Amino acid sequence: PAATTESSGTAAPSAPTDTVQKPAVVSIIDTPSSGLPGSGSTAIVRRDAPDVAEAVPEAPAPVVDDSTPALVRYGEIFANPEDLPLLSVVLFDDGAMANGARALSDVPFPVTVLLDPRSAGAVERMDAYAAAGIEVAALAAVPQGATDTDVEVAMEGTFDALPRAVALVDAGLGDMNAGREVTQRVIGDLAAAGRGLLVPDQGLNGALRAAAAADVPALTIYRDLDAEGQDARVIRRFIDQAAFRARQQQGVVLLARVRPETISALILWGDANRAGQVALAPLSATLLAQ
């Protein structure tokens, strides 16, 4: 469950020790193309999991109030008792796939969902993910050529629409490259709210340096898993490579999309126990570990 207790000055309830069962996936099949967008993709075929459960370690719940950083206040509770290298998966939900929160509930490790605050239904999707215990991040929406006033309006609009966002994400659309003054203003707003920053691994990356100077937790995107419609086999290979990189450096973040093929790959990768040498963490935990 996400740590989403509203301001009361009291401690959020401790996460219960519970048991969960891993979903079993029988196969991934190619569905015939109907000529519609998204057709010809894969379908997830499941059967009931065996009656075997494993204990979920209890993680301490933080005390939250109005002064609690958003990364803690709205981040999913996460424990890493073995101090394993951290790997995070951020999934962009553009609303094309219905009931993304239900689909992601089958993924056997925590993920973070990226929402565009300008898209229709973004608030409703945020609430659905929060109810499912899945944390969210906000897509950067800073216009090119923005002035200080433009940045102020954009940032207010972003987090008015998505108040539970733990971080701002520049997915490579150039929003954070509108100039040094714009970057500094964005970083200042993130620092004030205690949110993190995720940016592409591009060039000199002034946004990353500015974040470090302001003590804003920030990371780069190691790889985009499915930008070119990669199939489940390729996506799983990319995650394998990212897990290897995570064992060499702390904090590797992957970007992907909420789509059947990608969800299938995540379920298979998690169930195949490839994650034994890394801790699959929500973005908030990986940012806070920096």
Side-chain angles (χ1 to χ4, degrees):
T4 56
T5 302
E6 294 301 328
S7 61
S8 63
T10 60
S14 297
T17 300
D18 203 350
T19 59
V20 296
Q21 291 183 322
K22 293 183 179 180
V25 179
V26 175
S27 63
I28 297 180
I29 60 174
D30 290 326
T31 57
S33 174
S34 64
L36 298 174
S39 65
S41 59
T42 57
I44 308 170
V45 182
R46 302 182 182 86
R47 63 183 177 190
D48 290 338
D51 190 18
V52 177
E54 63 179 20
V56 177
E58 183 175 346
V63 175
V64 295
D65 57 27
D66 284 338
S67 65
T68 303
L71 272 168
V72 175
R73 187 174 186 180
Y74 299 118
E76 185 172 352
I77 296 173
F78 175 75
N80 183 19
E82 298 180 20
D83 197 26
L84 295 172
L86 300 179
L87 176 64
S88 294
V89 179
V90 176
L91 296 166
F92 178 50
D93 181 356
D94 61 0
M97 183 174 175
N99 205 351
R102 169 63 187 89
L104 291 181
S105 68
D106 285 337
V107 177
F109 53 85
V111 297
T112 300
V113 172
L114 175 61
L115 298 173
D116 186 341
R118 300 162 292 190
S119 67
V123 176
E124 292 76 14
R125 293 199 299 280
M126 176 192 69
D127 290 340
Y129 284 116
I134 300 172
E135 68 179 33
V136 301
L139 186 69
V142 180
Q144 290 287 348
T147 64
D148 275 354
T149 301
D150 294 331
V151 175
E152 181 179 1
V153 170
M155 294 295 283
E156 286 182 358
T158 293
F159 297 115
D160 282 347
L162 302 175
R164 294 180 180 273
V166 298
L168 188 71
V169 178
D170 178 1
L173 303 178
D175 292 323
M176 291 293 294
N177 294 319
R180 184 175 180 275
E181 292 183 1
V182 168
T183 298
Q184 293 287 354
R185 179 60 186 266
V186 170
I187 295 297
D189 284 357
L190 295 178
R195 292 186 168 96
L197 177 66
L198 184 64
V199 295
D201 189 5
Q202 296 175 345
L204 298 176
N205 223 324
L208 204 62
R209 297 197 307 275
D215 291 327
V216 170
L219 286 166
T220 58
I221 299 167
Y222 171 67
R223 169 166 274 167
D224 192 325
L225 297 177
D226 58 5
E228 299 178 0
Q230 284 87 347
D231 62 24
R233 178 183 57 83
V234 173
I235 292 170
R236 295 200 308 273
R237 187 174 77 243
F238 284 168
I239 303 174
D240 279 335
Q241 293 168 355
F244 178 79
R245 174 61 67 89
R247 296 194 295 271
Q248 299 174 323
Q249 67 182 53
Q250 262 299 349
V252 170
V253 181
L254 299 171
L255 178 68
R257 287 142 193 86
V258 176
R259 55 191 282 265
E261 187 85 14
T262 301
I263 295 173
S264 300
L266 295 177
I267 292 171
L268 284 175
W269 194 85
D271 284 347
N273 204 25
R274 291 187 174 93
Q277 295 180 328
V278 296
L280 289 145
L283 177 63
S284 60
T286 303
L287 285 168
L288 287 168
Q290 300 309 298

